[in-house]
Amino acid sequence: QVLVNASKIGCRHFVTADHIVNGNAQMNLAFTALLFNNYPSLELPVESEVRQEMAELLDDDNAEDSREERVFRNWINSLGLSSDVHSLYEDCKTGEPLLEIMERLVPESVNWKMVKRGTKIQIKAVQNCNYVVDVAQKIGIKVVNLGGADIEKGNKKLILGLVWQLMRYDTIALLEKLGGGNKVAEADVIKWANSKVGSKGKMTSFQDSDLANSKFFLHLCDAITPG
């Protein structure tokens, strides 16, 4: 029922019923952020329309890819990099797409003189990926247990973790823009969702086990668009 109601307001793009029931924190955050993005009770600037186009890119029919990989890959492609990412793990092995993402999120964060563009040599690709880790750390991304070799080898778990943080960084930056430049944290998104739902429910985090029954999201959807 959550997904049916979300479809009615154009917000059924990130989650499946399994994500909600299993308490997938990443997908729950993306879903809640999308609701906030589309219905924040704020005047949306024209620039926000660029991010809304991301939702239209999420209908990928490649069933072999994981849901998360497709969400992150399509988010990357919505940023307008120099070339599209067709395989998240393979295309990121050179480090270049990840560096382009960080340059988009934080202009001038990347010194391109240190990047071996278009390299097909493994050692140079590893050097690029090591630089990815350095830049990520510089802009405040957590890189514990992540090394350049992990990216070059296509370590799915670690690459997903890194891209998830970059997507979260972008989402928070957008919410801050919508909020007039005020700093926004996950706690603020949770506070907003709880304020909309009111006495009908409460979430403490995006890993809250109470989200598994979908009632909170049902109340949130109804609060945004009654009926």
Side-chain angles (χ1 to χ4, degrees), residues 129-165:
C129 293
N130 284 334
Y131 187 48
V132 167
V133 177
D134 291 341
V135 175
Q137 190 169 30
K138 183 173 69 174
I139 67 174
I141 301 297
K142 295 180 181 179
V143 293
V144 178
N145 298 324
L146 174 66
D150 297 312
I151 300 173
E152 194 279 329
K153 291 178 181 177
N155 186 303
K156 293 183 178 182
K157 181 178 180 180
L158 294 178
I159 291 174
L160 283 176
L162 174 60
V163 177
W164 155 244
Q165 290 190 76

Side-chain angles (χ1 to χ4, degrees), residues 80-85 91 93-104 110-129 131-132:
L81 305 187
S82 60
S83 60
D84 285 344
V85 170
D91 292 353
K93 284 185 176 182
T94 66
E96 290 184 56
L98 297 171
L99 290 168
E100 285 195 45
I101 293 169
M102 290 187 283
E103 180 69 15
R104 290 298 180 101
V110 177
N111 179 358
W112 291 103
K113 292 181 180 180
M114 298 183 63
V115 182
K116 287 72 178 176
R117 306 296 303 253
T119 186
K120 297 185 182 300
I121 301 173
Q122 183 182 22
I123 186 64
K124 292 186 177 181
V126 172
Q127 291 173 352
N128 283 350
C129 293
Y131 187 48
V132 167

Side-chain angles (χ1 to χ4, degrees), residues 1-7 9-35 55 58-59 66-68 70-72 164 167 203 206 211-212 214 216-218 220-221:
Q1 189 62 45
V2 166
L3 300 181
V4 171
N5 287 355
S7 294
I9 61 174
C11 291
R12 182 176 177 174
H13 302 293
F14 289 104
V15 294
T16 66
D18 286 341
H19 289 146
I20 298 173
V21 172
N22 294 329
N24 187 308
Q26 296 174 350
M27 293 299 101
N28 285 341
L29 172 59
F31 182 44
T32 306
L34 182 63
L35 291 172
L58 297 179
D59 295 326
S66 73
R67 181 80 176 187
E68 287 182 339
R70 282 186 285 144
V71 169
F72 297 157
W164 155 244
M167 181 177 173
M203 65 183 294
F206 290 106
L211 297 177
S214 298
F216 183 87
F217 289 123
L218 281 170
L220 181 57
C221 289

